[in-house]
Amino acid sequence: MGLRTRIDQATLISRALWLMAVEKVETGIVFNWMSPELRSDPYPFYERLRRTDPFHRCRNADGWVLSRYTDVLAVLRDPSFSADERNHPRHPQLVARLRRAGLRDAYDADRGSMLRLDPPTHTRLRALVSKAFTPRAIERMRPRIEAILKEVLEGCAARGAIELVSELAAPLPLRVIAEMLGIPGEDHARFRALSNEVVRNIGDASSEDRRASERAGAELDAYFEPFIDERRRSPRDDLISALAAAEEGGERLKRNELLSVLTLLLVAGNETTTNLISNATLALLRNPGELELLRREPARIRPAVEELLRYDGPVQMTSRFTTADTEIAGRRLRRGEMVVLLLGSANRDPAVFPEGDRLDVTRRDVRHLGFGLGIHFCLGAQLARLEAGLALEALIGRFPRLALRPQKIAWSANPVLRGPKALFLEL
Ligand code: HEM
């Protein structure tokens, strides 16, 4: 690490500590998204925030933190809020720091992720991707998902134990999306490693994390390039072919846009679905009455996935930026301000979900925000629901004595994506 990068990092840390002290004095509560307590159990903090300071000024993030359901919903639905990080007041500083560290901005050369773009570019990309990533293409994966689950669980049943994350929850979504894209089986392990590296730039990433993410991104591009050429010449029945051919209003995806979409599909659904399967299994094992109910009435498992997404969702937060002076929850915001939306907190808000901190698999009409809402609503929601529903049906249906081994659970270090690093179960 160069001297300049080290000075940058030391300056950032001391600045963050100072700003947290200011925030504490100003509001009595500090939103420190890197604190270990927030990773292992953010919900008591969310409860305090909703009750005492639902429109919280976070000095360190230089933005507003919204924790109540109605406020989060209002921003997600409001087209005047932007998802484009170039509208963040600190974006120019970030870009300058990246350049000093020899890194590029995620928006360079048409490589901005759809997740972080606004209309009209977002509309065009989303329409093109939706042509390839269809409900039919997803439903067609059902027998493959069942076969993968059977293969994995048969191996573990013989041992009477499983480490759920590495043996089932992580490989399943990776294999499914890789197969949908048309990536050969022998490359799946390498893809898993690269997709883990690419997401290291999410949230408050260090230069080192960003560098690793950029390296992995370049490796993924180099891998995808010949596939794109090959599928353009002789299309097959897979997503790479469908995306390469997708056309909307006479327009196709540019090459860099196509690479960006392929990377997004690969990474957006992996750690998230892994965490859904792991968080859901853990929640049920910690609430044996609910687990028992699903065991007795397996038809309830599919709808219960929505409650499990609400109760402990894989994506805890997202952000938006104001593009004009505006008002939200009776508060005035100036142009160019950031709002952090705590999806995980909105989903526990008792104003919308009575006894929100209680897991209740019979809860009806669970309008959670775990997949976001509005124009960026998760494109992979149906696939994630299918994979998690089938995984839970297989685990619950097959293992009547499923139990948690005594263990201290270590949680992901990523403040946006919540899930255990490992989960040891008796079968
Ligand atoms: C349980 C699993 C998943 C969760 C909790 C989840 C959550 C989310 C959330 C919250 C957003 C919106 C973020 C925002 O508004 O800022 C999103 C967007 C997105 N998700 Fe997912 N996701 C999951 C699985 C998947 C899968 C399996 C795929 C695809 C294979 C996928 C692809 C996408 C894409 C492409 C977007 C961007 C959509 C857009 O910008 O229009 N996700 N997801």
Side-chain angles (χ1 to χ4, degrees), residues 64-79:
W64 300 93
V65 181
L66 275 54
S67 49
R68 285 188 179 162
Y69 186 94
T70 45
D71 300 339
V72 172
L73 184 72
V75 173
L76 287 173
R77 277 188 174 154
D78 186 338

PDB file of all heavy atoms in Angstrom, residues 64-79:
ATOM      1  N   TRP A  64     -28.870  11.498   5.653  1.00  0.00           N
ATOM      2  CA  TRP A  64     -29.985  11.273   6.566  1.00  0.00           C
ATOM      3  C   TRP A  64     -30.306   9.786   6.588  1.00  0.00           C
ATOM      4  O   TRP A  64     -30.351   9.156   5.534  1.00  0.00           O
ATOM      5  CB  TRP A  64     -31.213  12.061   6.095  1.00  0.00           C
ATOM      6  CG  TRP A  64     -30.945  13.530   6.037  1.00  0.00           C
ATOM      7  CD1 TRP A  64     -30.512  14.232   4.949  1.00  0.00           C
ATOM      8  CD2 TRP A  64     -31.056  14.472   7.102  1.00  0.00           C
ATOM      9  NE1 TRP A  64     -30.357  15.554   5.277  1.00  0.00           N
ATOM     10  CE2 TRP A  64     -30.690  15.734   6.594  1.00  0.00           C
ATOM     11  CE3 TRP A  64     -31.444  14.366   8.442  1.00  0.00           C
ATOM     12  CZ2 TRP A  64     -30.688  16.880   7.375  1.00  0.00           C
ATOM     13  CZ3 TRP A  64     -31.456  15.514   9.217  1.00  0.00           C
ATOM     14  CH2 TRP A  64     -31.080  16.756   8.688  1.00  0.00           C
ATOM     15  N   VAL A  65     -30.559   9.268   7.793  1.00  0.00           N
ATOM     16  CA  VAL A  65     -30.849   7.838   7.906  1.00  0.00           C
ATOM     17  C   VAL A  65     -32.326   7.678   8.246  1.00  0.00           C
ATOM     18  O   VAL A  65     -32.782   8.146   9.287  1.00  0.00           O
ATOM     19  CB  VAL A  65     -29.962   7.177   8.991  1.00  0.00           C
ATOM     20  CG1 VAL A  65     -30.256   5.687   9.084  1.00  0.00           C
ATOM     21  CG2 VAL A  65     -28.498   7.425   8.683  1.00  0.00           C
ATOM     22  N   LEU A  66     -33.075   7.016   7.359  1.00  0.00           N
ATOM     23  CA  LEU A  66     -34.518   6.846   7.553  1.00  0.00           C
ATOM     24  C   LEU A  66     -34.811   5.411   7.981  1.00  0.00           C
ATOM     25  O   LEU A  66     -34.356   4.461   7.330  1.00  0.00           O
ATOM     26  CB  LEU A  66     -35.267   7.166   6.243  1.00  0.00           C
ATOM     27  CG  LEU A  66     -35.596   8.647   6.007  1.00  0.00           C
ATOM     28  CD1 LEU A  66     -34.388   9.536   6.092  1.00  0.00           C
ATOM     29  CD2 LEU A  66     -36.303   8.827   4.681  1.00  0.00           C
ATOM     30  N   SER A  67     -35.574   5.280   9.058  1.00  0.00           N
ATOM     31  CA  SER A  67     -35.766   3.947   9.631  1.00  0.00           C
ATOM     32  C   SER A  67     -37.226   3.520   9.704  1.00  0.00           C
ATOM     33  O   SER A  67     -37.513   2.365   9.985  1.00  0.00           O
ATOM     34  CB  SER A  67     -35.157   3.901  11.036  1.00  0.00           C
ATOM     35  OG  SER A  67     -35.590   5.021  11.784  1.00  0.00           O
ATOM     36  N   ARG A  68     -38.171   4.466   9.462  1.00  0.00           N
ATOM     37  CA  ARG A  68     -39.587   4.089   9.540  1.00  0.00           C
ATOM     38  C   ARG A  68     -40.096   3.661   8.173  1.00  0.00           C
ATOM     39  O   ARG A  68     -39.697   4.220   7.150  1.00  0.00           O
ATOM     40  CB  ARG A  68     -40.427   5.274  10.037  1.00  0.00           C
ATOM     41  CG  ARG A  68     -40.245   5.491  11.516  1.00  0.00           C
ATOM     42  CD  ARG A  68     -41.223   6.524  12.026  1.00  0.00           C
ATOM     43  NE  ARG A  68     -41.042   6.711  13.458  1.00  0.00           N
ATOM     44  CZ  ARG A  68     -41.491   7.765  14.131  1.00  0.00           C
ATOM     45  NH1 ARG A  68     -42.147   8.718  13.497  1.00  0.00           N
ATOM     46  NH2 ARG A  68     -41.288   7.844  15.428  1.00  0.00           N
ATOM     47  N   TYR A  69     -41.018   2.702   8.207  1.00  0.00           N
ATOM     48  CA  TYR A  69     -41.543   2.110   6.967  1.00  0.00           C
ATOM     49  C   TYR A  69     -42.084   3.171   6.009  1.00  0.00           C
ATOM     50  O   TYR A  69     -41.725   3.211   4.836  1.00  0.00           O
ATOM     51  CB  TYR A  69     -42.645   1.104   7.326  1.00  0.00           C
ATOM     52  CG  TYR A  69     -43.183   0.313   6.154  1.00  0.00           C
ATOM     53  CD1 TYR A  69     -42.661  -0.929   5.835  1.00  0.00           C
ATOM     54  CD2 TYR A  69     -44.226   0.808   5.372  1.00  0.00           C
ATOM     55  CE1 TYR A  69     -43.157  -1.665   4.763  1.00  0.00           C
ATOM     56  CE2 TYR A  69     -44.723   0.082   4.303  1.00  0.00           C
ATOM     57  CZ  TYR A  69     -44.185  -1.151   4.003  1.00  0.00           C
ATOM     58  OH  TYR A  69     -44.674  -1.869   2.950  1.00  0.00           O
ATOM     59  N   THR A  70     -42.966   4.055   6.526  1.00  0.00           N
ATOM     60  CA  THR A  70     -43.625   5.001   5.612  1.00  0.00           C
ATOM     61  C   THR A  70     -42.615   5.937   4.950  1.00  0.00           C
ATOM     62  O   THR A  70     -42.772   6.285   3.780  1.00  0.00           O
ATOM     63  CB  THR A  70     -44.691   5.862   6.343  1.00  0.00           C
ATOM     64  OG1 THR A  70     -44.112   6.304   7.557  1.00  0.00           O
ATOM     65  CG2 THR A  70     -45.956   5.104   6.593  1.00  0.00           C
ATOM     66  N   ASP A  71     -41.584   6.338   5.681  1.00  0.00           N
ATOM     67  CA  ASP A  71     -40.586   7.250   5.103  1.00  0.00           C
ATOM     68  C   ASP A  71     -39.734   6.534   4.056  1.00  0.00           C
ATOM     69  O   ASP A  71     -39.448   7.081   2.986  1.00  0.00           O
ATOM     70  CB  ASP A  71     -39.682   7.819   6.204  1.00  0.00           C
ATOM     71  CG  ASP A  71     -40.483   8.597   7.237  1.00  0.00           C
ATOM     72  OD1 ASP A  71     -41.608   9.024   6.899  1.00  0.00           O
ATOM     73  OD2 ASP A  71     -40.001   8.770   8.373  1.00  0.00           O
ATOM     74  N   VAL A  72     -39.319   5.296   4.356  1.00  0.00           N
ATOM     75  CA  VAL A  72     -38.506   4.516   3.404  1.00  0.00           C
ATOM     76  C   VAL A  72     -39.328   4.284   2.134  1.00  0.00           C
ATOM     77  O   VAL A  72     -38.856   4.492   1.011  1.00  0.00           O
ATOM     78  CB  VAL A  72     -38.062   3.173   4.046  1.00  0.00           C
ATOM     79  CG1 VAL A  72     -37.399   2.275   3.011  1.00  0.00           C
ATOM     80  CG2 VAL A  72     -37.116   3.435   5.223  1.00  0.00           C
ATOM     81  N   LEU A  73     -40.583   3.906   2.334  1.00  0.00           N
ATOM     82  CA  LEU A  73     -41.480   3.648   1.196  1.00  0.00           C
ATOM     83  C   LEU A  73     -41.647   4.912   0.345  1.00  0.00           C
ATOM     84  O   LEU A  73     -41.577   4.868  -0.893  1.00  0.00           O
ATOM     85  CB  LEU A  73     -42.845   3.201   1.740  1.00  0.00           C
ATOM     86  CG  LEU A  73     -43.890   2.803   0.726  1.00  0.00           C
ATOM     87  CD1 LEU A  73     -43.522   1.468   0.093  1.00  0.00           C
ATOM     88  CD2 LEU A  73     -45.268   2.696   1.381  1.00  0.00           C
ATOM     89  N   ALA A  74     -41.849   6.050   1.008  1.00  0.00           N
ATOM     90  CA  ALA A  74     -42.071   7.306   0.283  1.00  0.00           C
ATOM     91  C   ALA A  74     -40.872   7.626  -0.620  1.00  0.00           C
ATOM     92  O   ALA A  74     -41.049   8.023  -1.771  1.00  0.00           O
ATOM     93  CB  ALA A  74     -42.309   8.441   1.277  1.00  0.00           C
ATOM     94  N   VAL A  75     -39.648   7.413  -0.124  1.00  0.00           N
ATOM     95  CA  VAL A  75     -38.459   7.719  -0.935  1.00  0.00           C
ATOM     96  C   VAL A  75     -38.339   6.732  -2.097  1.00  0.00           C
ATOM     97  O   VAL A  75     -38.087   7.126  -3.237  1.00  0.00           O
ATOM     98  CB  VAL A  75     -37.180   7.719  -0.068  1.00  0.00           C
ATOM     99  CG1 VAL A  75     -35.944   7.870  -0.941  1.00  0.00           C
ATOM    100  CG2 VAL A  75     -37.230   8.828   0.977  1.00  0.00           C
ATOM    101  N   LEU A  76     -38.548   5.434  -1.811  1.00  0.00           N
ATOM    102  CA  LEU A  76     -38.415   4.428  -2.882  1.00  0.00           C
ATOM    103  C   LEU A  76     -39.392   4.696  -4.024  1.00  0.00           C
ATOM    104  O   LEU A  76     -39.103   4.424  -5.181  1.00  0.00           O
ATOM    105  CB  LEU A  76     -38.640   3.019  -2.324  1.00  0.00           C
ATOM    106  CG  LEU A  76     -37.517   2.443  -1.466  1.00  0.00           C
ATOM    107  CD1 LEU A  76     -37.948   1.113  -0.843  1.00  0.00           C
ATOM    108  CD2 LEU A  76     -36.229   2.241  -2.260  1.00  0.00           C
ATOM    109  N   ARG A  77     -40.559   5.252  -3.668  1.00  0.00           N
ATOM    110  CA  ARG A  77     -41.590   5.490  -4.686  1.00  0.00           C
ATOM    111  C   ARG A  77     -41.446   6.826  -5.401  1.00  0.00           C
ATOM    112  O   ARG A  77     -42.119   7.063  -6.384  1.00  0.00           O
ATOM    113  CB  ARG A  77     -42.959   5.488  -3.999  1.00  0.00           C
ATOM    114  CG  ARG A  77     -43.506   4.119  -3.806  1.00  0.00           C
ATOM    115  CD  ARG A  77     -44.919   4.287  -3.322  1.00  0.00           C
ATOM    116  NE  ARG A  77     -45.613   3.036  -3.230  1.00  0.00           N
ATOM    117  CZ  ARG A  77     -46.626   2.823  -2.406  1.00  0.00           C
ATOM    118  NH1 ARG A  77     -47.029   3.788  -1.617  1.00  0.00           N
ATOM    119  NH2 ARG A  77     -47.234   1.667  -2.380  1.00  0.00           N
ATOM    120  N   ASP A  78     -40.622   7.703  -4.848  1.00  0.00           N
ATOM    121  CA  ASP A  78     -40.564   9.075  -5.352  1.00  0.00           C
ATOM    122  C   ASP A  78     -39.535   9.190  -6.479  1.00  0.00           C
ATOM    123  O   ASP A  78     -38.336   9.070  -6.254  1.00  0.00           O
ATOM    124  CB  ASP A  78     -40.186  10.004  -4.181  1.00  0.00           C
ATOM    125  CG  ASP A  78     -40.245  11.466  -4.569  1.00  0.00           C
ATOM    126  OD1 ASP A  78     -40.159  11.771  -5.770  1.00  0.00           O
ATOM    127  OD2 ASP A  78     -40.366  12.296  -3.654  1.00  0.00           O
ATOM    128  N   PRO A  79     -40.003   9.430  -7.735  1.00  0.00           N
ATOM    129  CA  PRO A  79     -39.052   9.462  -8.852  1.00  0.00           C
ATOM    130  C   PRO A  79     -38.079  10.635  -8.804  1.00  0.00           C
ATOM    131  O   PRO A  79     -37.096  10.645  -9.555  1.00  0.00           O
ATOM    132  CB  PRO A  79     -39.969   9.574 -10.080  1.00  0.00           C
ATOM    133  CG  PRO A  79     -41.287  10.034  -9.573  1.00  0.00           C
ATOM    134  CD  PRO A  79     -41.393   9.677  -8.135  1.00  0.00           C
TER     135      PRO A  79
END
